[in-house]
């Protein structure tokens, strides 16, 4: 959908970060008792990877070991900047994997220094949580859950407490989080890079990092107890867009076997794809942005661009008043990593046929518990968005006061999000003719208070905001400082059990859990997670569903 009045829009496209100032510098049961209350010791036996031996450290929960900062590819500095990830270094002896690895260069202005890891172009590293320190027998290998962080080019690193994997590991998964290149380092397209790479396109370096991480996992994860034939690729927002791309790309085919897209997918004709993280730029537009970037940076060649200090690039790209041309970086329809449009993948039946779990949140897509809107702005929005059908829209979502206008816009935005997700599911099942199930969710629970341990979390009052479900998917409430209640712990236990089951079998259902039906193309509905665990319709009434379905299917642009 189009951006709403008063700047209230859908999830912002991965580009320049609003609010970053000039001079940004590089800097089944309730969860067990946190590890801080129950001392335990690290793994005593080193684990052998193809690069060398590693030992881990105690994780946040007893019985779980975490291996931190293991390199899965070489440094991206110098000649490796804006190149496909290179093989990881090897080492002699035993590497102590007890310290988080560096994050990739990005702006950190406004984030407390104690929340910022070291920043370096030598940042392609990963973390593993496992309930066993050495490989069990092959028949006992556990499902692998690989998580891709989200964000808006800032606070994008895998070591944040909100991504702690100890609870899912205690529930039987081997959890992996990893760092990948972001911003200009992760998405720069340029004609010279397209020529150099030999594939006719460029950009999507962060997605290529993801492929390298998956290849490392394929080769090494059994040593940590993980099953390389049961890998779930999961992410939220920007990370979800990577999952979406790799369900189309051939580069990671066979390297993962289920997909979890949190704040998730949109119907491929949804106008929102023009400006959310899941969208993409055409190669020519991305290359034009890259040419403008080089001019802005004062560089006339790739060697000069690669010689620039990383902190100079970050500072200039995110400087207040930086030009839009040359500083906007997102996914690219490059013909290689992303070989075709989302629609073409569906119609050509090349979308990866694997189980999918995807959904969205009550207070995103422009909806907000603090939204204010005048009747005049609401009616203008209706006319601009729906044209000759504006009167039909206003009859379905009527408003005569400003308070009603805000409430009805919220109702509409929430309906439209669920309808868009459902229509994507029908494309996956019908247009692409896939047999694998789709499990769609709608997150409704508001995390209590505010979390000061995670710089990506919004201030109190944001409602069931974009990404609020992350705590509950991981079930890692123990690592944050919100005033969690018994209800939160129960919600987290149920939700993380769904996730663990999906990772294990491709089906979130399990003993003692409320039933979660797979998407049926003849029945437009979703599964509410959070305040309740039960199905709900894709829109508040059949008439609203029919209207929104017709609006989305009638769009002329296919992404």
């Amino acid at each position: 959908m189009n951006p709403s009045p008063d700047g209230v829009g859908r999830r912002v496209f991965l580009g320049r970060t609003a609010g970053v100032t000039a001079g940004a510098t590089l800097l089944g049961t309730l969860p067990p008792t946190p590890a801080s209350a129950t001392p335990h010791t690290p793994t005593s036996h080193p684990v052998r990877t193809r690069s060398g031996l590693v030992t881990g450290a105690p994780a946040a929960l007893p019985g779980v070991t975490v291996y931190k900062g293991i390199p899965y590819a070489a440094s991206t500095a110098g000649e490796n900047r804006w190149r496909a990830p290179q093989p990881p270094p090897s080492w002699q002896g035993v590497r102590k994997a007890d310290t988080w690895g560096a994050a990739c260069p990005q702006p950190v202005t406004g984030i407390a220094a104690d929340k910022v890891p070291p920043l370096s172009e030598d940042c392609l590293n990963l973390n593993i949580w496992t309930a066993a320190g050495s490989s069990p027998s092959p028949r006992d290998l556990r499902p692998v859950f690989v998580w891709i962080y989200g964000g808006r080019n800032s606070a994008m690193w895998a070591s944040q407490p909100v991504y702690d994997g100890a609870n899912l590991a205690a529930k039987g998964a081997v959890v992996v989080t990893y760092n990948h290149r972001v911003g200009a380092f992760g998405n720069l397209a340029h004609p010279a890079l397209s020529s150099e790479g030999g594939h006719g396109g460029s950009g999507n370096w962060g997605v290529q990092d993801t492929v390298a991480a998956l290849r490392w996992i394929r080769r090494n994860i059994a040593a940590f107890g993980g099953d390389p034939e049961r890998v779930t690729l999961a992410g939220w927002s920007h990370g979800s867009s990577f999952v979406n791309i790799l369900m189309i790309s051939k580069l990671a085919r066979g390297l993962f076997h289920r997909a979890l897209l949190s704040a998730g997918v949109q119907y491929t004709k949804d106008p929102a794809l023009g400006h959310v993280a899941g969208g993409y730029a055409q190669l020519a537009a991305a290359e034009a942005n890259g040419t403008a970037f080089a001019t802005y940076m004062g560089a006339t060649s790739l060697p000069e661009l690669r010689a620039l200090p990383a902190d100079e690039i970050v500072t200039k790209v995110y400087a207040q008043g930086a030009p839009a041309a040359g500083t906007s970086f997102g996914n690219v329809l490059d013909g290689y990593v992303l070989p075709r449009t989302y629609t073409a993948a569906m119609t050509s039946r090349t979308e990866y046929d694997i189980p999918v779990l995807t959904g969205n949140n009550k207070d995103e897509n422009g909806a907000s518990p603090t939204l204010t809107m005048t009747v005049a702005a609401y009616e203008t929005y209706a006319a601009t968005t729906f044209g000759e059908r504006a009167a039909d829209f206003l009859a379905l979502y009527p408003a005569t006061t400003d308070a009603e206008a805000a409430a009805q816009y919220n109702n509409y935005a929430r309906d439209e999000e669920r309808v868009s997700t459902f229509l994507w599911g029908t494309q996956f099942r019908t247009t692409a003719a896939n047999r694998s199930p789709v499990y769609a969710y709608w997150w409704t629970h508001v995390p209590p208070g505010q979390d000061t341990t995670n710089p990506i979390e919004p201030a109190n009052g944001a409602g069931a905001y974009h990404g609020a479900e992350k705590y509950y998917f991981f079930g890692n409430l123990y690592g944050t400082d919100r005033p969690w209640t018994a209800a939160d712990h129960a919600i987290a236990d149920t939700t993380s059990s769904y996730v663990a089951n999906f990772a294990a079998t491709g089906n979130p259902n399990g003993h003692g859990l409320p039933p979660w039906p797979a998407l049926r193309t003849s029945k437009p509905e979703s599964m509410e997670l959070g305040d309740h665990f039960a199905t709900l319709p894709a829109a508040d009434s059949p008439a609203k569903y029919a209207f929104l379905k017709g609006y989305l299917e009638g769009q002329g642009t296919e992404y």
Side-chain angles (χ1 to χ4, degrees):
M1 69 184 223
N2 296 324
S4 69
D6 302 331
V8 181
R10 206 160 185 171
R11 300 180 295 276
V12 176
F13 185 83
L14 180 65
R16 296 183 60 234
T17 304
V20 176
T21 58
T25 57
L26 293 184
L27 306 171
T29 54
L30 294 181
T33 305
S36 59
T38 308
H40 54 290
T41 58
T43 303
S44 57
H45 301 290
V47 174
R48 183 174 296 280
T49 74
R50 294 199 178 188
S51 297
L53 295 168
V54 295
T55 55
L61 297 181
V64 178
T65 298
V66 59
Y67 299 81
K68 303 177 181 179
I70 302 175
Y72 67 85
S75 171
T76 63
E79 290 299 307
N80 286 342
R81 186 185 286 175
W82 302 308
R83 284 197 168 123
Q86 300 300 302
S90 298
W91 57 85
Q92 300 295 318
V94 179
R95 182 187 185 106
K96 290 185 177 180
D98 58 359
T99 303
W100 301 118
C104 297
Q106 59 192 278
V108 294
T109 299
I111 302 174
D114 64 349
K115 303 295 186 295
V116 179
L119 299 180
S120 167
E121 290 191 84
D122 189 5
C123 59
L124 301 188
N125 56 76
L126 53 77
N127 316 300
I128 302 169
W129 286 261
T130 180
S134 59
S135 175
S137 65
R139 66 178 180 272
D140 294 328
L141 291 175
R142 299 181 297 281
V144 181
F145 183 79
V146 182
W147 182 260
I148 312 173
Y149 48 66
R152 298 178 183 173
N153 288 337
S154 183
M156 298 181 74
W157 49 82
S159 57
Q160 293 187 42
V162 73
Y163 304 136
D164 183 275
N167 176 66
L168 287 178
K171 291 194 172 192
V174 174
V175 179
V176 181
T177 65
Y178 71 99
N179 288 320
H180 64 78
R181 287 171 283 182
V182 300
F185 301 92
N187 292 96
L188 178 71
H190 189 280
L193 289 172
S194 298
S195 176
E196 175 187 86
H199 304 291
S202 56
N204 297 324
W205 309 108
V207 182
Q208 293 191 55
D209 295 343
T210 303
V211 176
L214 289 170
R215 288 175 177 162
W216 189 97
I217 290 165
R218 178 80 178 176
R219 298 176 181 131
N220 294 282
I221 204 64
F224 298 87
D227 186 350
E229 299 298 335
R230 283 191 296 165
V231 175
T232 297
L233 188 61
W236 78 277
S237 190
H238 154 89
S240 175
S241 78
F242 280 21
V243 182
N244 202 7
I245 288 171
L246 290 176
M247 290 180 66
I248 297 171
S249 177
K250 299 293 187 182
L251 297 182
R253 200 57 57 96
L255 297 178
F256 65 104
H257 313 92
R258 319 159 186 348
L260 190 158
L261 303 97
S262 172
V265 293
Q266 286 85 34
Y267 176 58
T268 64
K269 294 174 73 174
D270 190 332
L273 282 168
H275 62 269
V276 300
Y280 53 76
Q282 298 286 337
L283 178 61
E287 287 181 338
N289 179 75
T291 300
F293 166 79
T295 300
Y296 177 52
M297 298 304 299
T300 60
S301 66
L302 287 182
E304 289 184 13
L305 280 173
R306 287 178 168 134
L308 290 170
D311 57 351
E312 180 179 344
I313 293 174
V314 172
T315 298
K316 291 192 70 174
V317 167
Y318 297 97
Q320 188 173 9
T327 59
S328 181
F329 300 97
N331 301 323
V332 182
L333 183 62
D334 64 341
Y336 173 59
V337 177
L338 180 57
R340 57 183 59 84
T341 67
Y342 299 144
T343 300
M346 294 289 192
T347 57
S348 64
R349 299 188 171 182
T350 55
E351 187 88 12
Y352 198 10
D353 189 1
I354 55 174
V356 174
L357 192 156
T358 187
N360 296 286
N361 292 22
K362 181 179 179 181
D363 291 312
E364 57 185 6
N365 188 29
S368 168
T370 60
L371 177 67
T372 59
M373 185 177 293
T374 65
V375 172
Y378 181 60
E379 292 177 346
T380 298
Y381 175 79
T384 302
T385 304
F386 302 108
E388 62 183 20
R389 297 208 62 194
D392 296 333
F393 169 79
L394 292 171
L396 290 168
Y397 299 92
T400 58
T401 67
D402 292 351
E404 288 177 346
Q408 290 287 37
Y409 182 87
N410 278 341
N411 292 336
Y412 148 69
R414 292 161 180 160
D415 284 348
E416 197 266 2
E417 186 88 306
R418 295 200 304 277
V419 171
S420 183
T421 300
F422 176 78
L423 292 179
W424 182 93
T426 64
Q427 288 182 301
F428 182 85
R429 293 282 296 172
T430 303
T431 306
N434 287 331
R435 295 186 176 184
S436 298
V438 174
Y439 296 92
Y441 74 84
W442 179 245
W443 185 264
T444 58
H445 184 66
V446 178
Q450 187 171 348
D451 181 4
T452 63
T453 67
N454 295 287
I456 58 175
E457 302 307 310
N460 192 15
Y465 58 83
H466 179 52
E469 74 272 43
K470 297 187 304 295
Y471 298 103
Y472 304 89
F473 273 31
F474 279 92
N476 57 17
L477 277 55
Y478 48 78
T480 60
D481 63 352
R482 287 184 182 271
W484 304 113
T485 66
D488 287 295
H489 284 283
I491 292 169
D493 187 48
T494 296
T495 306
S496 61
S497 293
Y498 280 136
V499 171
N501 290 341
F502 181 77
T505 68
N507 184 333
N509 291 289
H511 179 70
L513 296 174
W516 183 343
L519 181 144
R520 294 167 53 191
T521 58
S522 61
K523 192 172 185 179
E525 64 180 18
S526 186
M527 177 74 175
E528 180 182 354
L529 302 182
D531 288 340
H532 306 92
F533 291 92
T535 57
L536 79 169
D540 283 346
S541 72
K544 291 177 179 178
Y545 171 75
F547 175 85
L548 293 171
K549 178 176 182 287
Y551 162 68
L552 290 169
E553 290 181 339
Q555 295 303 298
T557 301
E558 297 180 339
Y559 291 93

